[in-house]
Amino acid sequence: MSNPVIGIALSGGTLKAAAHIGVLSALEEMGIRPHHLAGTSAGSIVATLYAYGYRDQELKHLIQQFPGYKLLDYGFPLTSAVMSTFFHAIPHRNRLIQVYPRGLIHGNKLKKYFHKLLIGRECRIPVLFVATDLLSGDPVIMRIEPSNVSIPQLPRALPIHQEELPACLLGSCALPAIFSPVPFREYLLADGAMRHYIPVQALRESGCTHILAINLYKLQYREYLTTFVDVLARSFEILLRESIDNDVVNSGDVLVIEPDFAKIKTWKFTEMIQSVRVGVQAVVKQQLQIEQFLKINPRLPHKMAK
C-alpha cells in the first residue's frame, strides 16, 4: 500500500481559529506533517502562516503580540452605499471602474499586516484557501505552492502570486457587512465560510487520500428563542451546520477533529492563547484514532497534554 497523502483542512472560526495553532503543533509533535493545507476564513490565515514556515513558538508569539483592535480601520457603509448607488445610476462610458459598498471595516490595515508577516518568507507547503464570489455566489478556491512543487491542475483553483496573497487572505475572511468585500481579478471576494466552512473538497481535488478536517463550530441546543433577531441568527447557525455536514459527509478519507470550547466563556484578543490549548487537547484526545486513521506508529502521549 502506498503512503497516505495527508491534507489538513482548517475551518473558519474568528478568534477561535487560534485553536488551529494548537492542533498543528500537536500533530507535528506526533510526527504528522501535511502534504497539503487548506483553510477557510480565519483558518486560511493559520494555514498560510504554517505553509510559510511559522511553527509553534512563533505562532504563539504572534498571538501574544497581536495588535487586535489596532488593525480595524472603520468605514462608513451608509455613505459608500449612497455613493455606489449614485455612481451606478449615472450612465458611464467606462464601466471598468467599479464602486462597491463598504463594510464597517475597510480591511486595509489587516491586509498590510498580512503582507508584513510574509516578508522574506517562501511557501513551503502547497496551500489552498476558499472565498465566496459575491457576484456569482460561487466558491473561489485559490492556491499558492512552493516553487519546487507542483500540485495537480485543479479545474476550480486559481494559482496566485505571493504579492496577491494578502488581498486573497482578506477576501477569504471578509465577513459580509462587517468587512468590505475585496475586488480580485473578475471576482468580489467575501467570507469563504458561506460556501465551504471546511475546505475538504479542495484537498480531495489536490490528491489527498487522508484528510484531517478541523471543525471549530458546533450547533448547540437552544432551549428558547426570545426575539426575531434570535430566530434570524439561529437560522444562519442551522444553515452553517448544513454546510459543514455537506463538507465532511461521511467518507473513509476524512477524520473530523472538533476542539471543545465549552470552558471558554469570553472571546477577547488577549485570551486567544486559551484556544491554542484547546486545540492541543483535541488532538491528544483523539491521538489513537488519528494514528489508526493515518496508519502511523503510535507515539508517546503529547508532552503538552496537561
Side-chain angles (χ1 to χ4, degrees):
M1 176 180 284
S2 59
N3 292 328
V5 179
I6 301 172
I8 300 180
L10 306 182
S11 77
T14 59
L15 297 184
K16 291 191 294 185
H20 291 317
I21 295 173
V23 168
L24 292 170
S25 298
L27 290 173
E28 190 163 281
E29 185 69 21
M30 291 174 60
I32 299 170
R33 294 173 177 83
H35 298 92
H36 302 272
L37 286 161
T40 292
S41 194
S44 68
I45 301 173
V46 179
T48 299
L49 293 176
Y50 191 88
Y52 273 75
Y54 283 90
R55 292 297 182 265
D56 181 61
Q57 292 303 318
E58 284 183 295
L59 290 168
K60 289 179 180 176
H61 179 73
L62 288 182
I63 288 178
Q64 293 165 348
Q65 302 297 321
F66 187 62
Y69 294 108
K70 294 179 181 179
L71 294 177
L72 304 183
D73 44 356
Y74 297 101
F76 301 93
L78 293 179
T79 302
S80 70
V82 172
M83 291 178 62
S84 177
T85 302
F86 178 76
F87 177 84
H88 289 285
I90 298 176
H92 287 265
R93 293 181 180 179
N94 184 2
R95 276 299 181 184
L96 294 177
I97 300 174
Q98 295 287 346
V99 176
Y100 298 111
R102 295 281 191 172
L104 291 171
I105 300 169
H106 289 308
N108 293 327
K109 289 184 178 181
L110 193 56
K111 185 165 63 174
K112 291 179 181 178
Y113 178 70
F114 294 151
H115 174 74
K116 181 180 178 181
L117 293 179
L118 300 174
I119 289 177
R121 291 180 177 262
E122 294 184 359
C123 183
R124 300 181 181 181
I125 305 171
V127 59
L128 302 103
F129 35 93
V130 181
T132 301
D133 178 24
L134 286 179
L135 302 179
S136 67
D138 294 330
V140 180
I141 300 173
M142 296 157 282
R143 79 170 189 264
I144 193 163
E145 59 196 55
S147 57
N148 62 341
V149 173
S150 179
I151 61 177
Q153 293 297 314
L154 311 183
R156 294 193 302 149
L158 300 174
I160 64 170
H161 304 292
Q162 182 157 329
E163 59 268 21
E164 298 175 308
L165 186 50
C168 294
L169 285 176
L170 180 61
S172 179
C173 302
L175 186 65
I178 304 300
F179 284 90
S180 299
V182 179
F184 175 70
R185 301 184 188 178
E186 68 269 34
Y187 306 103
L188 188 62
L189 302 181
D191 198 325
M194 292 188 286
R195 291 306 308 263
H196 293 295
Y197 188 73
I198 311 176
V200 167
Q201 186 58 33
L203 290 175
R204 285 198 182 105
E205 294 177 5
S206 299
C208 294
T209 60
H210 293 68
I211 300 170
L212 299 176
I214 318 304
N215 175 33
L216 303 185
Y217 178 79
K218 289 185 180 180
L219 184 65
Q220 303 292 342
Y221 179 79
R222 294 283 295 270
E223 292 185 3
Y224 54 84
L225 303 170
T226 57
T227 69
F228 80 94
V229 175
D230 291 336
V231 173
L232 186 62
R234 186 60 172 174
S235 300
F236 281 114
E237 289 175 352
I238 293 171
L239 289 173
L240 177 58
R241 184 67 244 186
E242 182 181 9
S243 173
I244 294 171
D245 291 342
N246 290 334
D247 285 333
V248 296
V249 62
N250 288 334
S251 178
D253 63 345
V254 178
L255 175 65
V256 180
I257 299 174
E258 294 187 332
D260 184 3
F261 296 95
K263 295 182 180 180
I264 300 181
K265 302 301 181 183
T266 59
W267 295 106
K268 299 178 181 179
F269 290 118
T270 55
E271 297 177 358
M272 292 166 63
I273 199 68
Q274 294 184 38
S275 292
V276 177
R277 300 190 188 100
V278 168
V280 171
Q281 292 163 2
V283 171
V284 171
K285 183 178 180 180
Q286 291 184 243
Q287 179 174 338
L288 179 59
Q289 189 179 5
I290 294 169
E291 290 170 343
Q292 292 174 342
F293 175 70
L294 298 179
K295 299 179 176 60
I296 62 176
N297 294 326
R299 297 291 186 97
L300 294 174
H302 194 281
K303 65 183 180 182
M304 297 173 64
K306 295 182 180 180

